[in-house]
Amino acid sequence: MAAVRGLRSAEILYVLAVACLAAVGAARGTPAPYVAAILLTLPCGLPATVAVYGGYAALKGVGSLFAAATYPNGDDAPWLTAASSTLNVTVLTAAAVANVLLLERARRNHTRTAGR
């Protein structure tokens, strides 16, 4: 039981580490923490990357119907920056949770087949 409890703690720390890296990337506006978070979330990091880029395009497209998405100098509007940062953190954290769930499922299947 102690090993299971320790494993749960490791899973929580993994998800928190990915969330923190994504939050640092959002706060600083630099790609390096995002890249680290994506690499940590592989294999679910690949669809998460698609969701990040697709989500940004959707936010910009739909949001620009109601407010300007960019300034004349080319900078993103603050609402777009905040929304895309929130999306990035949410999607990458969800990818980390999906990895944990996939690992749990693989572990259960392995235990079930090893017991036969």
Side-chain angles (χ1 to χ4, degrees), residues 7-91:
L7 185 60
R8 299 283 184 225
S9 298
E11 292 169 349
I12 291 169
L13 287 174
Y14 163 70
V15 172
L16 285 175
V18 170
C20 287
L21 281 169
V24 167
R28 290 187 180 172
T30 57
Y34 284 134
V35 171
I38 290 168
L39 290 175
L40 280 174
T41 58
L42 290 175
C44 291
L46 294 175
T49 304
V50 172
V52 163
Y53 282 102
Y56 176 81
L59 284 171
K60 190 171 183 177
V62 173
S64 65
L65 295 173
F66 305 103
T70 57
Y71 289 132
N73 66 357
D75 291 342
D76 284 343
W79 69 264
L80 181 59
T81 302
S84 64
S85 296
T86 303
L87 176 74
N88 294 349
V89 173
T90 304
V91 167

